[in-house]
Coordinates of all heavy atoms in Angstrom, one line a residue:
I1 N 25.7 10.3 -6.5 CA 24.7 10.0 -5.5 C 24.0 11.3 -5.2 O 24.6 12.3 -4.8 CB 25.3 9.4 -4.2 CG1 26.0 8.1 -4.6 CG2 24.2 9.1 -3.2 CD1 26.8 7.5 -3.4
G2 N 22.6 11.3 -5.2 CA 21.9 12.5 -4.9 C 21.7 12.6 -3.4 O 21.3 11.7 -2.7
L3 N 22.1 13.7 -2.8 CA 22.1 13.9 -1.3 C 20.7 13.9 -0.8 O 20.4 13.4 0.3 CB 22.8 15.2 -0.9 CG 24.3 15.1 -0.8 CD1 24.9 16.5 -0.6 CD2 24.7 14.2 0.4
R4 N 19.7 14.4 -1.6 CA 18.3 14.4 -1.1 C 17.8 12.9 -1.0 O 17.1 12.6 -0.1 CB 17.5 15.2 -2.1 CG 17.9 16.7 -2.2 CD 17.1 17.4 -3.2 NE 17.6 18.7 -3.4 CZ 17.1 19.7 -4.3 NH1 16.1 19.3 -5.0 NH2 17.7 20.8 -4.5
E5 N 18.1 12.1 -2.0 CA 17.7 10.7 -2.0 C 18.4 10.0 -0.8 O 17.8 9.1 -0.2 CB 18.1 10.0 -3.3 CG 17.2 10.4 -4.5 CD 17.7 11.7 -5.2 OE1 18.7 12.3 -4.7 OE2 17.1 12.1 -6.2
L6 N 19.7 10.3 -0.6 CA 20.4 9.7 0.5 C 19.8 10.0 1.9 O 19.7 9.2 2.8 CB 21.9 10.1 0.4 CG 22.9 9.1 1.0 CD1 22.8 7.7 0.3 CD2 24.3 9.6 0.9
E7 N 19.4 11.3 2.1 CA 18.7 11.7 3.3 C 17.4 10.9 3.5 O 17.1 10.4 4.6 CB 18.4 13.2 3.3 CG 19.7 14.0 3.5 CD 19.3 15.5 3.8 OE1 18.2 15.7 4.3 OE2 20.1 16.4 3.5
R8 N 16.7 10.7 2.4 CA 15.4 10.0 2.5 C 15.7 8.5 2.9 O 15.0 7.9 3.7 CB 14.7 10.1 1.2 CG 13.3 9.4 1.2 CD 12.7 9.4 -0.2 NE 13.4 8.5 -1.1 CZ 13.6 8.8 -2.3 NH1 13.0 9.9 -2.9 NH2 14.3 8.0 -3.1
F9 N 16.8 8.0 2.3 CA 17.2 6.6 2.6 C 17.5 6.4 4.0 O 17.1 5.4 4.7 CB 18.4 6.3 1.7 CG 19.1 5.0 1.9 CD1 18.5 3.8 1.5 CD2 20.3 4.9 2.4 CE1 19.1 2.6 1.7 CE2 21.0 3.7 2.6 CZ 20.4 2.6 2.2
V10 N 18.2 7.3 4.6 CA 18.6 7.2 6.1 C 17.4 7.4 6.9 O 17.2 6.7 7.9 CB 19.7 8.2 6.4 CG1 19.9 8.3 7.9 CG2 21.0 7.9 5.7
Y11 N 16.5 8.3 6.6 CA 15.3 8.6 7.4 C 14.4 7.4 7.3 O 13.8 7.0 8.4 CB 14.6 9.8 6.9 CG 13.4 10.2 7.7 CD1 13.4 10.7 8.9 CD2 12.1 9.8 7.1 CE1 12.2 11.0 9.6 CE2 10.9 10.1 7.8 CZ 11.0 10.7 9.0 OH 9.9 11.0 9.8
T12 N 14.2 6.8 6.1 CA 13.2 5.7 6.0 C 13.7 4.4 6.5 O 13.0 3.6 7.1 CB 12.8 5.6 4.5 OG1 12.4 6.8 4.0 CG2 11.7 4.6 4.3
G13 N 15.0 4.1 6.2 CA 15.6 2.8 6.6 C 15.5 1.8 5.5 O 14.8 2.0 4.5
L14 N 16.1 0.6 5.7 CA 16.1 -0.5 4.7 C 14.8 -1.3 4.9 O 14.8 -2.3 5.5 CB 17.3 -1.3 4.9 CG 18.6 -0.7 4.5 CD1 19.8 -1.7 4.8 CD2 18.6 -0.3 3.1
V15 N 13.7 -0.7 4.4 CA 12.4 -1.3 4.6 C 11.7 -1.6 3.2 O 11.9 -0.9 2.3 CB 11.5 -0.4 5.4 CG1 12.0 -0.2 6.8 CG2 11.2 0.9 4.7
G16 N 10.9 -2.7 3.2 CA 10.2 -3.0 2.0 C 8.8 -2.4 2.1 O 8.1 -2.2 1.0
R17 N 8.3 -2.0 3.3 CA 7.0 -1.3 3.4 C 7.1 -0.5 4.7 O 8.0 -0.7 5.5 CB 5.9 -2.3 3.5 CG 5.9 -3.3 4.7 CD 4.7 -4.1 4.7 NE 4.5 -4.8 6.0 CZ 5.0 -6.0 6.3 NH1 5.7 -6.7 5.3 NH2 4.8 -6.5 7.4
L18 N 6.2 0.4 4.9 CA 6.3 1.4 6.0 C 5.6 0.9 7.3 O 5.8 1.5 8.3 CB 5.7 2.7 5.6 CG 6.5 3.4 4.4 CD1 5.8 4.7 4.0 CD2 7.9 3.7 4.9
D19 N 4.7 -0.1 7.2 CA 3.9 -0.4 8.4 C 4.6 -1.5 9.2 O 4.0 -2.5 9.6 CB 2.5 -0.9 7.9 CG 2.6 -2.1 7.0 OD1 3.7 -2.3 6.4 OD2 1.6 -2.9 6.9
L20 N 5.9 -1.2 9.5 CA 6.6 -2.2 10.3 C 6.6 -1.7 11.8 O 6.4 -0.5 12.1 CB 8.1 -2.2 9.9 CG 8.3 -2.7 8.5 CD1 9.8 -2.6 8.2 CD2 7.9 -4.2 8.3
P21 N 6.7 -2.7 12.8 CA 6.8 -2.3 14.2 C 8.0 -1.3 14.4 O 9.0 -1.3 13.7 CB 7.1 -3.6 14.9 CG 6.6 -4.6 13.9 CD 6.8 -4.1 12.6
E22 N 7.8 -0.4 15.4 CA 8.7 0.7 15.6 C 10.1 0.2 15.9 O 11.1 0.7 15.4 CB 8.2 1.6 16.7 CG 9.0 2.9 16.8 CD 8.9 3.7 15.5 OE1 7.8 3.7 14.8 OE2 9.9 4.4 15.2
A23 N 10.2 -0.9 16.7 CA 11.5 -1.4 17.0 C 12.2 -2.0 15.8 O 13.4 -1.8 15.6 CB 11.4 -2.5 18.1
L24 N 11.5 -2.7 14.9 CA 12.1 -3.2 13.7 C 12.4 -2.1 12.8 O 13.5 -2.1 12.1 CB 11.1 -4.1 13.0 CG 11.5 -4.9 11.7 CD1 12.8 -5.6 12.0 CD2 10.4 -5.8 11.2
R25 N 11.6 -1.1 12.7 CA 11.9 0.1 11.8 C 13.2 0.7 12.3 O 14.1 1.1 11.5 CB 10.8 1.1 11.9 CG 11.0 2.4 11.2 CD 10.8 2.3 9.7 NE 11.0 3.6 9.1 CZ 10.0 4.5 8.9 NH1 8.8 4.1 9.4 NH2 10.2 5.6 8.3
A26 N 13.4 0.8 13.6 CA 14.7 1.4 14.2 C 15.9 0.6 13.7 O 16.9 1.2 13.4 CB 14.6 1.5 15.7
Q27 N 15.8 -0.7 13.7 CA 16.9 -1.6 13.3 C 17.2 -1.3 11.8 O 18.4 -1.3 11.4 CB 16.5 -3.0 13.5 CG 16.4 -3.5 14.9 CD 16.0 -4.9 15.0 OE1 16.0 -5.7 14.1 NE2 15.5 -5.3 16.2
R28 N 16.2 -1.1 11.0 CA 16.4 -0.9 9.6 C 17.0 0.5 9.3 O 17.8 0.6 8.4 CB 15.1 -1.0 8.8 CG 14.4 -2.3 9.0 CD 15.2 -3.5 8.5 NE 14.5 -4.7 8.7 CZ 13.5 -5.1 7.9 NH1 13.1 -4.4 6.8 NH2 12.8 -6.3 8.1
V29 N 16.7 1.5 10.1 CA 17.3 2.8 10.0 C 18.8 2.6 10.3 O 19.7 3.2 9.6 CB 16.7 3.8 10.9 CG1 17.5 5.1 11.0 CG2 15.3 4.1 10.4
Q30 N 19.2 1.8 11.3 CA 20.6 1.6 11.6 C 21.3 0.9 10.5 O 22.5 1.2 10.2 CB 20.7 0.8 12.9 CG 20.3 1.6 14.2 CD 21.1 2.9 14.3 OE1 22.3 2.9 14.2 NE2 20.4 3.9 14.6
A31 N 20.6 0.0 9.8 CA 21.2 -0.7 8.7 C 21.5 0.3 7.5 O 22.5 0.2 6.8 CB 20.3 -1.8 8.2
A32 N 20.6 1.3 7.3 CA 20.7 2.3 6.3 C 21.9 3.2 6.6 O 22.8 3.5 5.8 CB 19.5 3.1 6.1
R33 N 22.0 3.6 7.9 CA 23.1 4.4 8.4 C 24.5 3.7 8.2 O 25.5 4.3 7.8 CB 23.0 4.8 9.8 CG 21.8 5.7 10.1 CD 21.6 5.9 11.6 NE 22.7 6.6 12.2 CZ 22.7 7.9 12.2 NH1 21.8 8.7 11.7 NH2 23.8 8.5 12.8
R34 N 24.5 2.3 8.4 CA 25.7 1.5 8.2 C 26.2 1.6 6.7 O 27.3 1.8 6.4 CB 25.4 0.1 8.5 CG 26.6 -0.8 8.3 CD 26.2 -2.3 8.4 NE 25.3 -2.6 7.2 CZ 24.2 -3.4 7.2 NH1 23.8 -3.9 8.4 NH2 23.6 -3.6 6.1
E35 N 25.2 1.6 5.8 CA 25.5 1.7 4.3 C 26.1 3.1 4.0 O 27.0 3.2 3.2 CB 24.3 1.4 3.5 CG 23.9 0.0 3.4 CD 25.0 -1.0 2.9 OE1 25.7 -0.6 2.0 OE2 25.1 -2.1 3.5
V36 N 25.5 4.1 4.6 CA 26.0 5.5 4.3 C 27.5 5.6 4.9 O 28.3 6.2 4.3 CB 25.1 6.5 4.9 CG1 25.7 7.9 4.8 CG2 23.7 6.5 4.2
R37 N 27.7 5.0 6.1 CA 29.1 5.1 6.7 C 30.0 4.3 5.7 O 31.2 4.7 5.6 CB 29.1 4.4 8.0 CG 28.5 5.4 9.1 CD 28.9 4.8 10.5 NE 28.2 3.6 10.8 CZ 27.0 3.5 11.4 NH1 26.4 4.5 11.7 NH2 26.5 2.3 11.6
W38 N 29.5 3.2 5.1 CA 30.4 2.5 4.1 C 30.8 3.4 2.9 O 31.9 3.4 2.5 CB 29.6 1.3 3.7 CG 30.2 0.5 2.6 CD1 30.0 0.6 1.3 CD2 31.2 -0.6 2.8 NE1 30.8 -0.3 0.6 CE2 31.6 -1.1 1.5 CE3 31.8 -1.2 3.9 CZ2 32.4 -2.1 1.3 CZ3 32.7 -2.2 3.7 CH2 33.0 -2.7 2.4
I39 N 29.8 4.2 2.5 CA 30.1 5.1 1.4 C 31.1 6.1 1.8 O 32.0 6.4 1.0 CB 28.8 5.8 0.9 CG1 27.8 4.7 0.4 CG2 29.1 6.8 -0.3 CD1 26.4 5.4 0.1
A40 N 30.9 6.6 3.0 CA 31.8 7.6 3.5 C 33.3 7.1 3.6 O 34.2 7.8 3.2 CB 31.4 8.1 4.9
D41 N 33.4 5.9 4.1 CA 34.7 5.2 4.2 C 35.3 5.0 2.8 O 36.5 5.2 2.6 CB 34.6 3.9 4.9 CG 34.2 4.0 6.4 OD1 34.4 5.1 6.9 OD2 33.8 3.0 7.0
L42 N 34.5 4.7 1.8 CA 35.0 4.5 0.4 C 35.5 5.8 -0.1 O 36.5 5.9 -0.7 CB 33.8 4.0 -0.5 CG 33.6 2.5 -0.7 CD1 32.5 2.2 -1.6 CD2 34.9 1.8 -1.2
M43 N 34.7 6.9 0.1 CA 35.1 8.2 -0.3 C 36.4 8.7 0.4 O 37.3 9.3 -0.3 CB 34.0 9.2 -0.1 CG 32.8 8.9 -0.9 SD 31.5 10.3 -0.8 CE 32.2 11.5 -1.9
A44 N 36.6 8.3 1.6 CA 37.8 8.7 2.3 C 39.0 7.9 1.9 O 40.1 8.5 1.8 CB 37.6 8.5 3.9
S45 N 38.8 6.7 1.7 CA 40.0 5.8 1.2 C 40.3 6.0 -0.3 O 41.5 5.7 -0.6 CB 39.7 4.4 1.5 OG 38.5 3.9 0.8
Q46 N 39.3 6.4 -1.1 CA 39.6 6.7 -2.5 C 40.3 5.6 -3.2 O 41.4 5.7 -3.7 CB 40.4 8.0 -2.7 CG 39.7 9.2 -2.0 CD 40.4 10.5 -2.3 OE1 40.7 10.9 -3.4 NE2 40.8 11.2 -1.2

């Protein structure tokens, strides 16, 4: 996993386009953060 791509993923959020309402965009960013936490848990549990 490329860390640069992962940072962009968290910053952008799980969105199909960028012109989303700010509140919805914030929800999608939280969804992206959830996936990164999932990866962290996988790496920790090995």
Side-chain angles (χ1 to χ4, degrees):
I1 301 174
L3 277 170
R4 298 176 189 179
E5 289 83 356
L6 207 59
E7 285 191 26
R8 185 186 66 212
F9 175 68
V10 173
Y11 179 79
T12 307
L14 294 178
V15 298
R17 64 177 194 269
L18 296 175
D19 59 339
L20 297 177
E22 193 60 33
L24 183 56
R25 174 78 177 274
Q27 292 177 15
R28 303 298 183 76
V29 168
Q30 290 304 314
R33 293 174 66 87
R34 182 196 65 221
E35 288 301 321
V36 176
R37 284 194 294 269
W38 175 267
I39 299 172
D41 291 344
L42 271 178
M43 296 188 77
S45 61
Q46 301 184 56

